[in-house]
Amino acid sequence: MSLQPADLPELEVAWQAAQAAGEILMHYYHNGVDVREKATSDLVSDADVEAEHAIVERIHQRFPGHAILAEEGHSQTEVAEHLWVIDPLDGTTNFLHGIPHFAVSIAYYHNGVPQVAVVWNPAREDQFLAAAGRGAWRNGVQQHVAESTHLNQCLIGVGFYYDRGRSMEATLAAIADIFRQQVHGIRRFGTAALDLCHVGCGYYGAFFEYQLAPWDFGGGRLFVEEAGGKVTTARGTELPFHKDSLLASNGVLHQAMLDIVGHHHPE
Ligand code: IPD
Ligand code: CA
Ligand code: CA
């Protein structure tokens, strides 16, 4: 059985909202955008802000009472019964440099448990959908994590937060140890939501990053889990609703990765 947006009301709204945001992003992508720096190397633009407004508007039209946790201003801090976790533009740095590898990420949680997820790359018209118990689907085709049993059979994805201090040093140390496991390669594509989807599609055996926010992983996390993989912090604990590290894998490789990324964990 396939998964269509119309199958579930929350998935339908998430998909419509992702498309609306995608249209806004593509307008700015083609016509240029003013950039501001939130912190060193952490860039934001009108595209992020407008896309977020478009998403929140659509969710609230259909579900007026639902809470929102989104990167550019809607900050629900406690877990609500109905919570939407949104990154209107993941991969801002790629977007601003003209690289068509960025995404809208929208997830709906019920009592803290992810129920539906949409990750949409409008530049490549690449759609990733997941729903609890209904699998992970890319452009209508069901996806599964890699079958690799050893790190020397895989590509590993990594992300760097904007930090140029301890997290960066820890990431570099972990990368060196991962290379020592004779992995096929390490990739840093710059869009955590899509990196997670790449674990779900079986391209990466695992992906890790030492600082990610709930909106970075909200959509991709359910995609990995529904594709048969596992997602925790890089210490092996359950993911919280605040910034923390993240390790996603096909499940089989989780412990081997934890031995490395847990060892180099910055805190
Ligand atoms: C960033 C991207 C990047 C990751 C950063 C995130 P943004 O999100 O996901 O791949 O390494 O940690 O903050 O700022 O482009 O939404
Ligand atoms: Ca992000
Ligand atoms: Ca963002």
Side-chain angles (χ1 to χ4, degrees):
M1 197 172 67
S2 68
L3 178 66
Q4 303 295 333
D7 293 352
L8 301 160
E10 293 84 3
L11 189 61
E12 187 172 40
V13 170
W15 172 232
Q16 286 167 354
Q19 285 176 290
E23 278 176 31
I24 293 168
L25 296 182
M26 291 315 292
H27 170 81
Y28 281 107
Y29 186 71
H30 291 305
N31 296 292
V33 66
D34 286 335
V35 185
R36 300 179 287 283
E37 216 167 6
K38 288 196 276 192
T40 308
S41 305
D42 189 357
L43 307 174
V44 66
S45 69
D46 292 338
D48 306 60
V49 175
E50 258 184 54
E52 181 167 311
H53 281 305
I55 295 166
V56 172
E57 199 178 35
R58 271 162 187 80
I59 292 169
H60 276 161
Q61 267 166 11
R62 184 79 169 265
F63 303 111
H66 286 196
I68 306 280
L69 174 59
E71 180 167 16
E72 310 302 341
H74 298 81
S75 50
Q76 169 81 28
T77 47
E78 282 158 33
V79 175
E81 183 186 357
H82 301 284
L83 178 66
W84 293 78
V85 181
I86 300 159
D87 192 340
L89 169 52
D90 189 47
T92 306
T93 310
N94 283 346
F95 175 87
L96 295 173
H97 288 273
I99 299 171
H101 189 77
F102 52 85
V104 182
S105 174
I106 304 177
Y108 164 71
Y109 286 69
H110 184 243
N111 288 327
V113 181
Q115 300 298 318
V116 308
V118 173
V119 176
W120 169 235
N121 177 348
R124 291 186 165 139
E125 301 198 346
D126 210 359
Q127 179 209 54
F128 303 85
L129 304 180
R134 297 284 305 270
W137 300 79
R138 180 185 190 181
N139 301 322
V141 179
Q142 190 161 18
Q143 302 295 310
H144 302 283
V145 292
E147 289 178 2
S148 329
T149 52
H150 291 93
L151 291 177
N152 65 8
Q153 300 165 332
C154 311
L155 268 182
I156 302 295
V158 62
F160 284 85
Y161 186 62
Y162 298 104
D163 162 272
R164 295 290 184 267
R166 283 183 69 193
S167 289
M168 183 194 74
E169 298 296 343
T171 308
L172 294 173
I175 287 173
D177 276 359
I178 291 167
F179 270 126
R180 290 187 187 103
Q181 299 295 314
Q182 311 303 333
V183 293
H184 287 180
I186 297 193
R187 298 288 181 267
R188 193 290 194 253
F189 287 152
T191 305
L194 292 172
D195 288 322
L196 285 161
C197 292
H198 287 180
V199 175
C201 294
Y203 305 153
Y204 296 157
F207 163 78
F208 80 100
E209 181 158 349
Y210 280 128
Q211 271 196 71
L212 279 177
W215 46 79
D216 296 315
F217 61 74
R221 171 224 182 139
L222 185 63
F223 192 87
V224 173
E225 290 169 346
E226 285 297 321
K230 184 169 179 173
V231 190
T232 64
T233 68
R235 287 181 234 87
T237 54
E238 201 173 311
L239 285 175
F241 275 91
H242 52 76
K243 264 186 196 159
D244 208 326
S245 59
L246 178 143
L247 171 65
S249 78
N250 68 349
V252 182
L253 297 168
H254 216 76
Q255 190 56 51
M257 282 297 293
L258 271 181
D259 290 346
I260 298 173
V261 297
H263 175 71
H264 292 290
H265 207 288
E267 302 102 39

